[in-house]
Amino acid sequence: MKITDIECIHLRVPKMDEECAWGDDALLVKVHTDAGLIGIGETDTSPLVAKAVIDAPSSNLHSSGLKRLLIGENPLEIQRLWDKMYLGSNYFGRKGVAMHAISAIDIALWDIASQHYGVPLYTLLGGKYRDKIEVYGTFVTGDTPEKNNDIIAEYMADGFNCLKFGDGVYGNNPDLDVKIVESARLFAGDDLEIAIDVQCKWLTYGNAAQLYKRMEPYNLKWIEEPILDDDLPGYARLSDIGSTRTSGGERLAGRQEFTDFIKNSKVDIVQPDITRCGGISELKKINEVAETYGCKLLPHGYSTGILLAASIQFLAATKYGDFMEYSKCSSPLFTDLVTNLIPMKDGYVTVPDTIGLGIELNEDVIEKYKVKG
Ligand code: MG
């Protein structure tokens, strides 16, 4: 079997010159083979930038678009092809968007392998540890404590036992940050687990340390990305404050960055995104580092049903993979792109016994939101 083409599909809900919100654009990748098998992947990044990484011509030994490196190759030789892409994009890559593009292709190659061997992806990844995975719901913070509590009520009615909110107004005003959390805890009671995602907006250790102390009475499940992921000493000091867990890592890529982060930030929870960190192949390695250092791997995930399916297959085959993020994004790229989107029920997702990612794409949605040219 040989790879014959790598097709990039740029989807976007708003017009190109309009602002875009979380989940409203995506880069889908289809890896085509001469056997007729097609693998599907995606990366949750700036789609046109990742597309350029895939489609670029060769400049030299270490600066090549990924597509031309893989045409004619056997898609089942996943690790060798991963290494070929990593080395071939080495000058402009190693981290960031080149790794995002590699992630999309890597996911598609695992999809092909599972189809070729006719076994579920979790079997290829080492075997299924569990049939169900607990999930938490994520939403963009409401502008006021009252609006936020309205959203919390909806999510609780849907069956979530754990919620996380961030972005929107969160992180702009320390007093409002505390008030929203205080109000949420009073509204939801002690049975609901609540986490917050600061999107690095507390900026410095000093600001964040004050807020950690003010948040302590509200028993947060974790505080996510209080400061930029580059400030490892800041993370380490925050991780030592009180009993609140700290998490981070969604913007990192590759085992080297993650090893550095896990060892030196002292976070309790690390959050690689399978569509950015280097794909399924690299997440396996990152997971081993996390297990070695006693850090919980809790993948980031707020994009299409492709990301969701890949994350579920990965966690099903992971010893401690019993908890994950579940987007409730209202974007059609989440709700309608994958016709057999894996549902949440009573706070859990059931691991599907599909071959490959098992994804059925809605071609009408692709046609409607595809950016032409
Ligand atoms: Mg986050």
Side-chain angles (χ1 to χ4, degrees):
M1 181 162 51
K2 286 188 168 53
I3 296 171
T4 53
D5 192 18
I6 298 180
E7 181 187 1
C8 292
I9 302 169
H10 177 191
L11 301 175
R12 184 177 173 95
V13 178
K15 294 197 174 82
M16 285 294 275
D17 59 352
E18 293 174 349
E19 283 298 308
C20 191
W22 302 104
D24 263 349
D25 70 353
L27 186 72
L28 264 59
V29 167
K30 287 185 180 177
V31 175
H32 297 265
T33 66
D34 62 359
L37 297 181
I38 298 171
I40 298 171
E42 80 154 306
T43 175
D44 180 10
T45 185
S46 177
L48 279 182
V49 185
K51 184 176 184 298
V53 169
I54 292 171
D55 289 342
S58 165
S59 292
N60 58 52
L61 180 65
H62 296 299
S63 296
S64 173
L66 305 180
K67 177 174 168 175
R68 67 177 307 284
L69 295 172
L70 297 198
I71 298 296
E73 289 280 12
N74 180 350
L76 302 177
E77 298 184 13
I78 300 174
Q79 187 59 55
R80 187 176 67 75
L81 298 190
W82 196 100
D83 289 334
K84 188 176 185 184
M85 290 189 282
Y86 184 82
L87 285 170
S89 60
N90 199 266
Y91 273 3
F92 63 83
R94 297 187 297 113
K95 299 181 170 69
V97 72
M99 290 293 275
H100 303 169
I102 288 173
S103 304
I105 293 173
D106 180 82
I107 291 167
L109 293 179
W110 281 100
D111 189 18
I112 290 170
S114 176
Q115 294 175 58
H116 173 78
Y117 294 116
V119 296
L121 190 40
Y122 57 65
T123 302
L124 278 189
L125 294 174
K128 185 163 74 164
Y129 283 88
R130 58 193 61 79
D131 296 320
K132 292 199 308 182
I133 300 171
E134 189 174 4
V135 298
Y136 71 90
T138 306
F139 62 89
V140 175
T141 318
D143 290 348
T144 64
E146 295 72 27
K147 282 185 187 159
N148 210 52
N149 291 346
D150 290 344
I151 305 172
I152 289 173
E154 278 174 40
Y155 275 60
M156 289 174 75
D158 281 346
F160 286 103
N161 301 308
C162 179
L163 298 179
K164 179 182 87 183
F165 53 83
D167 199 30
V169 297
Y170 213 79
N172 296 343
N173 175 329
D175 291 336
L176 183 60
D177 288 353
V178 176
K179 196 150 186 50
I180 287 173
V181 167
E182 178 189 35
S183 173
R185 175 56 73 209
L186 279 171
F187 176 79
D190 290 334
D191 289 342
L192 182 74
E193 294 186 309
I194 300 173
I196 56 171
D197 184 353
V198 184
Q199 298 277 349
C200 316
K201 282 158 81 176
W202 289 346
L203 293 175
T204 67
Y205 163 77
N207 283 337
Q210 281 191 340
L211 281 154
Y212 267 58
K213 286 174 185 152
R214 294 177 69 183
M215 297 291 180
E216 188 82 29
Y218 309 115
N219 190 27
L220 290 173
K221 178 97 166 161
W222 71 84
I223 296 177
E224 181 167 323
E225 292 200 313
I227 54 179
L228 276 169
D229 291 10
D230 301 308
D231 183 4
L232 299 182
Y235 265 91
R237 288 197 287 170
L238 289 170
S239 297
D240 284 339
I241 292 178
S243 59
T244 308
R245 296 178 186 87
T246 300
S247 74
E250 71 184 62
R251 64 201 71 236
L252 305 179
R255 79 200 81 148
Q256 294 89 348
E257 273 195 339
F258 275 100
T259 302
D260 195 25
F261 186 73
I262 289 167
K263 282 173 72 172
N264 296 313
S265 72
K266 296 167 74 175
V267 294
D268 288 281
I269 300 164
V270 66
Q271 297 166 296
D273 187 309
I274 201 165
T275 74
R276 284 198 291 266
C277 71
I280 293 170
S281 300
E282 195 71 352
L283 190 51
K284 279 170 75 70
K285 298 183 170 85
I286 293 162
N287 181 58
E288 285 174 8
V289 177
E291 283 187 12
T292 301
Y293 287 92
C295 186
K296 177 78 175 174
L297 183 104
L298 182 49
H300 176 264
Y302 200 81
S303 190
T304 76
I306 301 169
L307 174 151
L308 180 66
S311 298
I312 289 172
Q313 290 292 323
F314 180 86
L315 288 176
T318 304
K319 189 165 49 174
Y320 303 121
D322 57 0
F323 194 43
M324 65 179 291
E325 182 166 17
Y326 192 92
S327 162
K328 282 266 294 168
C329 183
S330 59
S331 168
L333 300 188
F334 179 69
T335 57
D336 298 329
L337 175 66
V338 171
T339 58
N340 56 344
L341 184 71
I342 299 167
M344 182 283 288
K345 189 161 184 293
D346 300 329
Y348 287 82
V349 289
T350 299
V351 178
D353 298 315
T354 49
I355 303 298
L357 293 175
I359 284 167
E360 291 161 20
L361 294 173
N362 184 333
E363 295 298 332
D364 293 338
V365 171
I366 290 177
E367 197 48 44
K368 184 170 180 184
Y369 297 110
K370 187 175 178 179
V371 177
K372 313 254 179 359

